[in-house]
Amino acid sequence: MTTADVYLQQVINGTSLGAMYALLALGFTLVYGILELINFSHFNVFMVGSFVGLGMLELFGVEPNAAALTGFALIGVLVATFAVTMLASGLLGVVIERVALRPLRNVKGPAAMITTIGVSYILFNLVLLGVGADAKNFPSPLPSISFAIGGAVLRLREILIWIASLLLMGGLTYFVQFTKMGKAMRATAQDPDAARMMGVEVDRVIIMAFFLGSALAGAGGLMFGLYYNLTSYVIGFTTGLRAFTAAVLGGIGNVPGAMVGGVLIGLIEAFGSYWISAAWADVIIFSILVLVLVFKPAGLFGRLAPNKS
Amino acid sequence: MTTASLMTVLHPPLTRGDRARRATVTLLTLVLIAFPFLGHAFQGLGFDLDIGDDDVDSVANALAYATLALGLNIVVGFAGLLDLGYAAFFAIGAYTYGIFTSFQIMPAWSPFWEPLAALGLVAKYHQAAGDLVHFTLSFWLALPIAAGITALCGVLFGTPTLRLRGDYLAIVTLGFGEIVPIVARNVPSVTNGAAGLNGVMAPTLFGFNFRVDPTPYYYVGVLLTAFLIFVSFRLRDSRIGRAWMAIREDETAAGAMGVDHVKTKLMAFAIGAAFAGMTGVFFVAKLQTATPDMFGFPVSVMILVMVVFGGMGSVWGVTLGAFVLSLLQSWFLPSLTQWAHGIGAAVNNDWLQHIDLARSTELIFGIILVVMMLFRREGLIPATRKQDALSFEAQNVAGVRRGGFDAETTRKVLGDMSHAPGKLLDVRGVTVKFGGLTALNKVDLVVPAGGVVAVIGPNGSGKSTLFNVITGLVPADSGSIQFDGAEILGLKSHEILQRGIARTFQNIRLFANLQVIDNIMIGQHARLKTGLLGAVLRGPGARREERAALSRTLDIVTLFGNRLAPRLTQVVSHLSYANRRRVEIARALATRPKLLLLDEPTAGMNPAETLELAEQIKTLHEQGLSVLIIEHKLDVVTRLADKVVVLDHGEKLTEGTPDAVRRNEDVLRAYLGRAATDAANAA
């Protein structure tokens, strides 16, 4: 492998990881844009999503050593798995909002944030007690087709992640920019009181933000499994922190910023692991988080929502 | 109404319940001291309490968690800084001791080490290939050293990050808590990596080696906890503690009242870190090993749960919270599991027979966190007690006073107000832009020493921005502001307050969950000197200063007659609107201002209250205080001001005596519109 090949490989790996981080970062950004709340439960909604995906694949009879699916069967299984995973994660997000966060909406101080930590911890431990501490094999329905581009390898799973995340992000952008609900969402992010007075049902907007963000996190969780071929109860934490960094890097509250930030973090992880060491990847990403927050708290692209106080 | 008689009336509410609490604490202390021997003692009496070494060990662990909870309480409870990576400091303390008492780092022996060996800090370790150095740092020495190192780490980490908004701080600390164990794992040469340090020395005291007997550790834990409880209380009831709480309640107002927030937050962070560092030493000495897994996110969450469960900001609360939750793991859940198995066997239920509740500890912690936040945010023992309504007697403790302030007390409160004639405040060509909007455009304004200047203008004309730029809350794009002959533009708000400019806010920014007395005491922050050490030691100087501050607070309160005096110990959010305005003025007076900035002080007051306040401001003026006031009520302006400055759309329209300004056509137009001016002219 030439150096150029190695770099190309890092770009392939980094953009796939980055697409996943971007999906997760969108959930942080949607909720933060509207509620100014760092939603720590999002970390583990992502993790639960990957287990829902695992369950769906097993339900479809996809086993680690079973023959790969092809054609319509493959597409059908993928679409159904993504749909159910996203629906289930989205509903989980809505339940969290409704049960644990809405009663605290008008409480000042860190109460709501502390609650999201509690919820996150509950999900974490429920999964730990339910499925155990060992990492679980994540079967892939994808045939092991790969393309050689010079010395670099592009596998079907990366192509799948790219396509799926492009579709999802495109869908979200369309929703936020061009639908009535999306407009209500942007208005609420600017000024919830004014939006309410103009007839926006703020409760519905908030529920929608949680649903969409959590559904995207679920899709991200499923991609995590397909990418690494395993899942575990611990994945939410580090992945969540990286995705949060992505949201901050792109300017938290800023939807396109989260997407770009996600891809950037993915690339930084891939190249950082290559140049330095994978063991230090989190240290690098965390240092970026601190540097961005300290020197450019609005992120690379600024916040769309003004600073409500 | 004298200060002394005020104190006698206030004395019972200030100290009520102290005797009962002292008795409880004494009893608990005795039980704690006797605990390791209770088993034997009661056995002698024929009872079997079943207290063994493992129970002493459990309580010793609970004590370690209590010290951690006490440290986090200073950061989260007192100063309101949500730290989600607190275990990182615990780890740093632990590794400090671990590294310098284990066989991890062993440089070659050279004469350089001889003096250190004489001090007992290192020992010669004989090996065939050549002698090596074995670090043998004493446990007792390690406690203060680790406290110092972790405090330093707290300052290094806090300096860039404590400027961040509260929620960003949470995520940054979370990351920090993640990073420290990763670093410990990734530098095996220093920390032995994931396997952890082994062979950490046990403490020795007068030649007695603690080894693995839990009892001596237990007593060290008791002493450490008692010490940290003592330090927590001393700090809470001091100038530093009040500043922490002020920042927690309202950072902007705290700055405007003279609290340097970066420094004050760093102190909280450093003290919290030092507590964790000492606990780290204790914990590692007790376990004689340290691995990265002992200090991960679950530990940070556990300590947070203990603080939230016990009551954020409540010293006894967090101690109790740590005890209950720590013993929940080691005592209650195993017992409950046993009962469940018993019941399972009786009803022949397979699931109940195999349940293991101890495995669900962390799940229970998560549930506790959510349930407490939803249903009892103040925790088991709330930091602020519920308040009784005032009795009729208490309400009338001070005489009714209407009209201006008492001249003599005002003189006493204001202090020396003699000044050379001239400009006290000189604002020149100040421009402030918010994005595309020019909020102030080359505004000039002079407040002569001893004068009262009123700023009027329609809403949105830049009056409050002018106040914000003078008090350092908003930066100016150009211009200069001289106060007392020195430039103050560019200074931080607490520095401007120190120079002698105090203010009130248009929308009242008191420290809402603190008592009236604390609000006024915080006003004196910049004029008091007691630092961290002074607050903990509370020597004669610190005591004298605190007494003087309290007496001055009572003087200020007496100015308002029976408006505030009976409500000294009430939480300000429970006060009436007008009384909150009065507390804000009292707080500003407490700062010993030379110039007082009042932003619409009579807004929302009825005519009688407005008149009363106008008279009071007049007394302040008569006693030599200079005042700059924003006011919409023109009768108040006419009554008080020597000079009126009119702002419109960020520019100075005109200035002059109240009468001249009243007749100025431009002013009429700005306020009432052209048609109205024409109508006025026609009439």
Side-chain angles (χ1 to χ4, degrees):
Chain A
M1 276 220 282
T2 64
T3 317
D5 290 337
V6 172
Y7 284 4
L8 182 63
Q9 188 67 59
Q10 300 314 325
V11 171
I12 291 171
N13 296 348
T15 45
S16 330
L17 285 173
M20 188 176 75
Y21 296 149
L23 289 179
L24 197 46
L26 283 169
F28 284 119
T29 251
L30 283 175
V31 169
Y32 194 91
I34 291 171
L35 291 180
E36 297 233 320
L37 169 72
I38 295 179
N39 177 14
F40 287 101
S41 64
H42 200 59
F43 287 24
N44 284 318
V45 170
F46 161 81
M47 180 272 289
V48 170
S50 88
F51 277 97
V52 175
L54 175 62
M56 280 307 292
L57 288 176
E58 284 175 349
L59 208 64
F60 284 121
V62 181
E63 299 287 336
N65 296 317
L69 301 168
T70 49
F72 286 116
L74 174 63
I75 293 173
V77 164
L78 280 177
V79 169
T81 307
F82 266 98
V84 173
T85 305
M86 290 176 67
L87 190 68
S89 319
L91 289 178
L92 179 59
V94 171
V95 169
I96 291 170
E97 195 280 330
R98 192 65 195 82
V99 174
L101 293 172
R102 194 178 296 178
L104 295 171
R105 188 149 334 135
N106 295 316
V107 176
K108 278 188 166 182
M113 190 159 48
I114 292 177
T115 308
T116 65
I117 297 168
V119 171
S120 203
Y121 215 51
I122 291 173
L123 293 177
F124 179 85
N125 284 294
L126 280 178
V127 173
L128 170 61
L129 292 176
V131 306
D134 297 331
K136 293 273 170 290
N137 259 327
F138 204 98
S140 172
L142 299 173
S144 51
I145 301 171
S146 60
F147 308 95
I149 310 174
V153 182
L154 175 62
R155 279 156 300 190
L156 204 55
R157 60 173 200 209
E158 278 117 17
I159 299 175
L160 171 75
I161 288 176
W162 288 344
I163 294 174
S165 37
L166 278 177
L167 284 176
L168 290 171
M169 285 190 253
L172 183 79
T173 309
Y174 174 81
F175 177 83
V176 171
Q177 292 298 328
F178 299 108
T179 63
K180 195 173 158 207
M181 190 64 185
K183 195 188 281 177
M185 213 172 238
R186 282 182 290 142
T188 310
Q190 293 284 322
D191 189 333
D193 289 331
R196 186 177 284 118
M197 280 183 253
M198 293 299 111
V200 171
E201 285 177 69
V202 171
D203 279 345
R204 277 186 60 198
V205 167
I206 291 170
I207 283 190
M208 187 51 100
F210 270 88
F211 179 81
L212 289 176
S214 306
L216 294 177
L222 179 53
M223 288 178 190
F224 183 98
L226 292 173
Y227 187 84
Y228 288 108
N229 292 323
L230 59 82
T231 188
S232 146
Y233 74 109
V234 294
I235 64 167
F237 196 63
T238 44
T239 320
L241 206 54
R242 290 169 190 179
F244 184 83
T245 307
V248 169
L249 188 62
I252 192 156
N254 181 333
V255 170
M259 299 177 189
V260 178
V263 175
L264 277 176
I265 290 295
L267 288 172
I268 289 167
E269 185 188 334
F271 280 93
S273 305
Y274 170 66
W275 279 323
I276 303 167
S277 149
W280 291 96
D282 278 310
V283 180
I284 300 166
I285 291 171
F286 166 71
S287 311
I288 292 170
L289 174 66
V290 174
L291 290 176
V292 173
L293 282 177
V294 171
F295 293 106
K296 208 162 168 22
L300 296 179
F301 307 102
R303 290 198 50 201
L304 290 185
N307 203 348
K308 287 169 286 201
S309 57
Chain B
M1 186 71 217
T2 63
T3 307
S5 59
L6 200 54
M7 278 311 288
T8 50
V9 179
L10 289 170
H11 198 65
L14 279 174
T15 55
R16 194 184 326 139
D18 265 14
R19 197 174 298 169
R21 193 180 316 151
R22 210 167 290 161
T24 319
V25 170
T26 314
L27 188 68
L28 279 176
T29 315
L30 290 176
V31 171
L32 268 179
I33 291 172
F35 179 75
F37 301 103
L38 282 183
H40 293 293
F42 276 80
Q43 221 157 30
L45 294 172
F47 297 100
D48 187 10
L49 286 187
D50 195 19
I51 297 175
D53 269 0
D54 50 340
D55 295 307
V56 176
D57 188 63
S58 298
V59 181
N61 284 337
L63 288 162
Y65 285 117
T67 57
L68 288 172
L70 285 164
L72 186 63
N73 183 47
I74 288 188
V75 182
V76 178
F78 289 175
L81 307 165
L82 188 52
D83 182 349
L84 297 181
Y86 187 65
F89 297 117
F90 183 36
I92 293 169
Y95 272 99
T96 304
Y97 179 68
I99 288 167
F100 289 109
T101 58
S102 64
F103 296 88
Q104 185 60 35
I105 301 181
M106 305 190 88
W109 184 265
S110 69
F112 168 81
W113 300 101
E114 298 283 359
L116 293 174
L119 288 171
L121 295 177
V122 298
K124 198 184 277 190
Y125 186 75
H126 296 290
Q127 250 193 354
D131 291 344
L132 297 176
V133 178
H134 173 211
F135 290 102
T136 53
L137 181 62
S138 147
F139 172 79
W140 312 104
L141 212 52
L143 282 174
I145 290 176
I149 290 178
T150 42
L152 186 70
C153 291
V155 171
L156 288 179
F157 176 69
T159 303
T161 55
L162 284 174
R163 289 161 211 274
L164 300 174
R165 298 166 38 122
D167 43 5
Y168 284 178
L169 182 70
I171 198 107
V172 169
T173 49
L174 177 88
F176 182 63
E178 228 351 49
I179 293 315
V180 168
I182 293 181
V183 172
R185 213 168 280 138
N186 286 355
V187 284
S189 58
V190 182
T191 61
N192 201 25
L197 293 169
N198 286 309
V200 176
M201 276 183 0
T204 49
L205 186 63
F206 304 122
F208 167 71
N209 192 318
F210 285 19
R211 293 182 201 285
V212 288
D213 177 8
T215 309
Y217 294 104
Y218 171 89
Y219 284 111
V220 173
V222 169
L223 285 177
L224 201 58
T225 311
F227 172 64
L228 296 185
I229 288 177
F230 170 79
V231 171
S232 295
F233 275 122
R234 279 282 166 98
L235 287 173
R236 187 195 67 180
D237 300 329
S238 74
R239 171 177 172 268
I240 307 290
R242 288 192 298 264
W244 284 337
M245 290 173 210
I247 284 181
R248 181 187 73 198
E249 295 295 318
D250 186 333
E251 205 172 315
T252 307
M257 288 302 117
V259 177
D260 177 348
H261 25 91
V262 174
K263 196 174 141 195
T264 310
K265 283 181 186 175
L266 274 179
M267 276 186 205
F269 225 59
I271 293 287
F275 278 28
M278 284 195 272
T279 315
V281 173
F282 172 67
F283 209 70
V284 162
K286 185 165 166 297
L287 286 180
Q288 285 149 32
T289 173
T291 65
D293 293 334
M294 284 160 53
F295 310 103
F297 183 61
V299 179
S300 293
V301 170
M302 181 165 69
I303 305 165
L304 181 68
V305 178
M306 288 165 174
V307 170
V308 165
F309 183 60
M312 280 188 266
S314 158
V315 176
W316 291 124
V318 300
T319 314
L320 179 70
F323 253 86
V324 171
L325 294 184
S326 175
L327 294 179
L328 177 79
Q329 289 183 78
S330 43
W331 286 358
F332 306 137
L333 286 182
S335 310
L336 274 178
T337 308
Q338 298 263 308
W339 292 342
H341 290 179
I343 294 169
V347 300
N348 209 6
N349 180 317
D350 191 51
W351 181 72
L352 269 180
Q353 286 186 55
H354 292 98
I355 197 169
D356 181 5
L357 289 168
R359 282 183 59 214
S360 324
T361 313
E362 296 190 339
L363 178 65
I364 293 170
F365 283 177
I367 294 170
I368 288 176
L369 209 49
V370 174
V371 168
M372 292 307 280
M373 279 298 117
L374 287 177
F375 302 110
R376 198 177 161 87
R377 277 186 291 285
E378 68 274 26
L380 284 184
I381 306 181
T384 44
R385 273 175 287 172
K386 275 227 169 68
Q387 287 173 315
D388 304 330
L390 287 180
S391 68
F392 180 75
E393 200 184 7
Q395 264 186 26
N396 293 293
V397 50
V400 176
R401 211 190 144 78
R402 297 290 178 262
F405 289 143
D406 173 58
E408 198 189 326
T409 321
T410 311
R411 263 197 300 281
K412 194 173 159 197
V413 166
L414 290 178
D416 180 22
M417 276 287 137
S418 61
H419 41 69
K423 298 170 180 176
L424 182 63
L425 181 75
D426 187 1
V427 178
R428 268 187 240 156
V430 165
T431 300
V432 175
K433 290 181 184 158
F434 297 125
L437 175 82
T438 305
L440 288 177
N441 189 17
K442 294 183 196 138
V443 170
D444 298 325
L445 178 143
V446 170
V447 180
V452 175
V453 176
V455 181
I456 64 169
N459 286 328
S461 60
K463 303 183 297 292
S464 289
T465 305
L466 178 67
F467 270 30
N468 287 343
V469 78
I470 293 171
T471 51
L473 298 180
V474 161
D477 291 280
S478 63
S480 99
I481 301 177
Q482 303 235 319
F483 179 72
D484 228 359
E487 182 67 41
I488 57 165
L489 198 59
L491 294 184
K492 301 225 171 65
S493 57
H494 69 268
E495 294 167 327
I496 292 169
L497 180 117
Q498 274 167 11
R499 305 283 177 97
I501 303 183
R503 70 171 292 172
T504 64
F505 292 87
Q506 188 182 351
N507 45 354
I508 308 186
R509 301 187 77 153
L510 286 168
F511 306 118
N513 293 314
L514 302 185
Q515 299 172 355
V516 171
I517 192 168
D518 293 323
N519 270 273
I520 301 175
M521 292 287 270
I522 290 163
Q524 302 184 56
H525 182 84
R527 308 294 170 216
L528 306 178
K529 291 187 188 64
T530 307
L532 276 179
L533 204 61
V536 174
L537 298 178
R538 205 180 278 174
R543 271 170 211 274
R544 207 178 307 122
E545 187 181 87
E546 198 71 356
R547 262 202 309 276
L550 184 64
S551 144
R552 182 172 154 73
T553 302
L554 297 179
D555 282 342
I556 294 170
V557 162
T558 358
L559 281 177
F560 293 89
N562 73 341
R563 297 287 201 190
L564 299 181
R567 299 178 175 82
L568 258 184
T569 53
Q570 297 240 311
V571 170
V572 292
S573 58
H574 297 172
L575 296 184
S576 73
Y577 184 80
N579 272 338
R580 272 184 273 157
R581 285 246 174 247
R582 292 186 186 104
V583 175
E584 217 188 8
I585 293 174
R587 187 179 68 176
L589 289 176
T591 69
R592 290 189 185 278
K594 290 181 196 159
L595 172 65
L596 180 61
L597 270 54
L598 299 168
D599 195 345
E600 296 196 30
T602 70
M605 285 189 170
N606 68 28
E609 290 167 338
T610 304
L611 191 67
E612 182 182 326
L613 186 62
E615 288 301 317
Q616 292 169 341
I617 296 170
K618 202 164 182 179
T619 317
L620 292 173
H621 167 52
E622 282 162 5
Q623 299 306 325
L625 185 66
S626 312
V627 178
L628 181 62
I629 178 171
I630 294 177
E631 188 52 70
H632 278 302
K633 293 176 183 161
L634 288 182
D635 50 334
V636 176
V637 172
T638 317
R639 183 182 289 263
L640 291 173
D642 314 322
K643 186 172 75 174
V644 178
V645 173
V646 187
L647 288 182
D648 188 29
H649 291 107
E651 301 200 352
K652 188 162 85 175
L653 211 55
T654 182
E655 67 169 56
T657 62
D659 274 344
V661 165
R662 239 172 204 219
R663 281 192 293 273
N664 186 304
E665 286 224 353
D666 292 337
V667 176
L668 285 174
R669 198 171 302 128
Y671 261 89
L672 305 168
R674 191 177 299 274
T677 7
D678 293 344
N681 286 341

